Amino acid sequence: MRRTEGHGGSRWRGGGRAVLAVAAVLLPLVAGCGGGHEDADPGAKGAKATAGQQGGGKNAGQGSGAFPDKGVLVTASCTVPASKPASVTVTGWDPITWKQTVSRTFTVPAEAVVAEADDVASPLVELCADNFPGAGTSEDGPRAVAATRLRQLFDKDFSRMAVVLIDRETEATGVGYVDTSGKLTKLSGEQGEDFGDTPKEENAVFAQDGSAVWFTETDSSDRVRIASRSVAGDHAVTEQAGGDGEYMDGAGLALAGDPVRGLFGKEVRISPDGRKATAFITWQGYNVVDVPQRGAALLKAKRVKATAIPFDADCYPYGWVDDRTVLCGPRLGKADDPKRNNSFWTLDASRLDGTADAPKGALGGPIIPATDRKNTVRAIAREGKQMIFASLQGTRLEFFVSAIAPGATPKKITAGSAERALSVGDVLEWR
């Protein structure tokens, strides 16, 4: 099974849930969610299919409305029942009243990859982790704020969701997208008649303007290519970049900026201006990397301009506060500095100079008081001044809102519906 995060500790940063399901449980469920269909062909360039019983539903998009430009926290959750198609629900919440303001549901097509047992990389697999019947979870609380690639499962207005499609017989994979009515659009071409590698298009993510789905493909020699398929016309492929994919197991694809550029790496989180990203690079640890000016790049040692986050900064990067500032938590759960134990702080990435020690003034002071609680950042406001974090004390899970400033006083979120909003799935954005 693939792992996507956790290079600095546990997968969900000590405040995360551990997946305890085994392949023996997952494989029968995958069959129930879309296996064994003779027409499950990731080819058929441009083919469109209404998911129907495998993914449709007359009421799938009812009451969806529009997501506000601001004043909304957006979550995504996945449900994988044993005998019905999987579904993904994207919900907008008012972060003051915690009332649900808008919701859209995508029924996952039978051909789509949703389970790690398929061993195919897709952000949808990560979103649906822990949601299989019979899959236990730990008591460590909810996941950390979502990495960029999870937001990019969807286009800008959450009207379409990118999917990786699999032919269960040949294990060939292609890409496509589904809308809230259940209509599946397949973007990948048919498998060729020549004797060659099985098509393995994966890591499907949407360009935010909705014009294309980007993906990666790894061949038998471990060479990775990054490409995109237009959602219009004949879905022609545009090659973006390629390179040796050795030591990149568990990497995912994230997109940045306008024009769109792609980054293939581990735990990629893009800055608001699309010029920088944080990522884990094998042999180098956590880094701040420059986003390429065009095309795409593989984030690996000696292949990209990167500045290592000094070890004494003790920074697990949760995300960006602004174009130059990263929000950090302890890399290994417990900070070396007692004043930062289970707290958060900022790192001024513009001050990093490649030296072994954190430059003077680069680290901000502790944001919340040091405690023995397990604290995990759940959401970062787009304006960069507030965050929501989950706090686990024994078996009691609570949520707090806090200013992103040294010495802030966290305020407990008491609305009952907030627990429902923040306990399940992933927070995609807070705008």
Side-chain angles (χ1 to χ4, degrees):
M1 292 187 180
R2 291 180 185 251
R3 304 289 282 180
T4 53
E5 297 198 17
H7 303 282
S10 66
R11 184 179 185 187
W12 304 121
R13 281 296 307 119
R17 300 183 295 176
V19 181
L20 302 180
V22 296
V25 175
L26 295 182
L27 285 170
L29 294 173
V30 174
C33 293
H37 292 272
E38 292 182 358
D39 61 349
D41 177 13
K45 179 183 287 188
K48 294 186 178 181
T50 300
Q53 291 183 348
Q54 291 89 30
K58 293 185 295 183
N59 300 321
Q62 266 193 5
S64 59
F67 283 82
D69 290 333
K70 59 182 180 178
V72 64
L73 185 141
V74 183
T75 64
S77 59
C78 178
T79 302
V80 190
S83 59
K84 295 180 181 179
S87 63
V88 171
T89 301
V90 181
T91 307
W93 305 86
D94 183 322
I96 297 176
T97 65
W98 291 102
K99 292 182 178 179
Q100 179 178 312
T101 59
V102 59
S103 180
R104 292 178 180 172
T105 297
F106 300 84
T107 306
V108 179
E111 304 97 310
V113 176
V114 295
E116 290 185 273
D118 286 307
D119 198 30
V120 177
S122 169
L124 186 58
V125 170
E126 184 175 339
L127 180 66
C128 291
D130 299 357
N131 289 284
F132 288 84
T137 61
S138 74
E139 298 299 322
D140 287 339
R143 304 170 181 180
V145 59
T148 299
R149 64 182 175 274
L150 284 178
R151 169 61 182 91
Q152 293 173 346
L153 265 171
F154 310 92
D155 59 7
K156 186 176 182 179
D157 60 359
F158 300 100
S159 63
R160 294 171 290 181
M161 181 177 73
V163 291
V164 175
L165 307 169
I166 188 168
D167 183 318
R168 307 287 176 184
E169 181 178 8
T170 66
E171 297 184 353
T173 54
V175 299
Y177 66 88
V178 64
D179 64 21
T180 54
S181 72
K183 183 173 70 176
L184 167 66
T185 300
K186 299 178 180 180
L187 303 179
S188 300
E190 296 182 2
Q191 185 173 350
E193 297 295 330
D194 58 322
F195 185 76
D197 286 341
T198 304
K200 289 289 185 182
E201 297 181 3
E202 51 187 356
N203 284 305
V205 289
F206 248 114
Q208 290 303 281
D209 63 4
S211 63
V213 170
W214 285 53
F215 62 93
T216 66
E217 187 168 25
T218 305
D219 64 20
S220 56
S221 62
D222 241 3
R223 182 174 176 81
V224 175
R225 72 165 182 148
I226 301 173
S228 62
R229 290 188 179 275
S230 172
V231 301
D234 63 356
H235 314 309
V237 172
T238 300
E239 301 291 338
Q240 304 291 349
D244 179 11
E246 191 176 11
Y247 303 117
M248 298 198 72
D249 289 346
L253 181 63
L255 307 181
D258 183 13
V260 181
R261 289 143 294 158
L263 294 174
F264 183 59
K266 302 175 184 179
E267 304 184 50
V268 179
R269 299 175 189 274
I270 309 290
S271 66
D273 64 2
R275 296 181 180 181
K276 299 283 186 180
T278 55
F280 183 91
I281 298 178
T282 302
W283 313 123
Q284 294 183 189
Y286 288 105
N287 284 251
V288 174
V289 303
D290 289 346
V291 174
Q293 294 184 354
R294 59 181 181 275
L298 276 64
L299 302 187
K300 58 182 301 182
K302 300 180 181 179
R303 284 294 305 272
V304 66
K305 185 178 179 182
T307 304
I309 296 177
F311 188 80
D312 66 346
D314 192 23
C315 176
Y316 171 85
Y318 280 106
W320 293 80
V321 173
D322 54 37
D323 296 335
R324 58 186 252 177
T325 310
V326 177
L327 180 61
C328 302
R331 288 189 311 109
L332 299 177
K334 186 173 182 179
D336 292 333
D337 181 353
K339 294 180 180 178
R340 298 182 185 273
N341 196 37
N342 292 318
S343 186
F344 310 107
W345 56 93
T346 57
L347 170 68
D348 185 345
S350 68
R351 292 176 178 261
L352 298 182
D353 55 12
T355 57
D357 298 324
K360 185 177 180 180
L363 293 183
I367 293 174
I368 63 173
T371 66
D372 62 356
R373 291 169 173 256
K374 295 178 181 178
N375 300 314
T376 306
V377 176
R378 197 74 172 107
I380 303 172
R382 183 168 61 182
E383 35 68 60
K385 297 186 182 301
Q386 294 185 92
M387 67 176 176
I388 292 170
F389 66 93
S391 185
L392 191 66
Q393 188 175 39
T395 59
R396 177 187 293 175
L397 179 64
E398 299 173 316
F399 297 95
F400 294 82
V401 62
S402 171
I404 301 178
T409 301
K411 181 179 180 182
K412 185 177 176 179
I413 299 173
T414 57
S417 52
E419 182 177 355
R420 181 163 61 98
L422 295 168
S423 295
V424 179
D426 289 272
V427 176
L428 301 183
E429 62 178 314
W430 179 10
R431 60 194 189 193

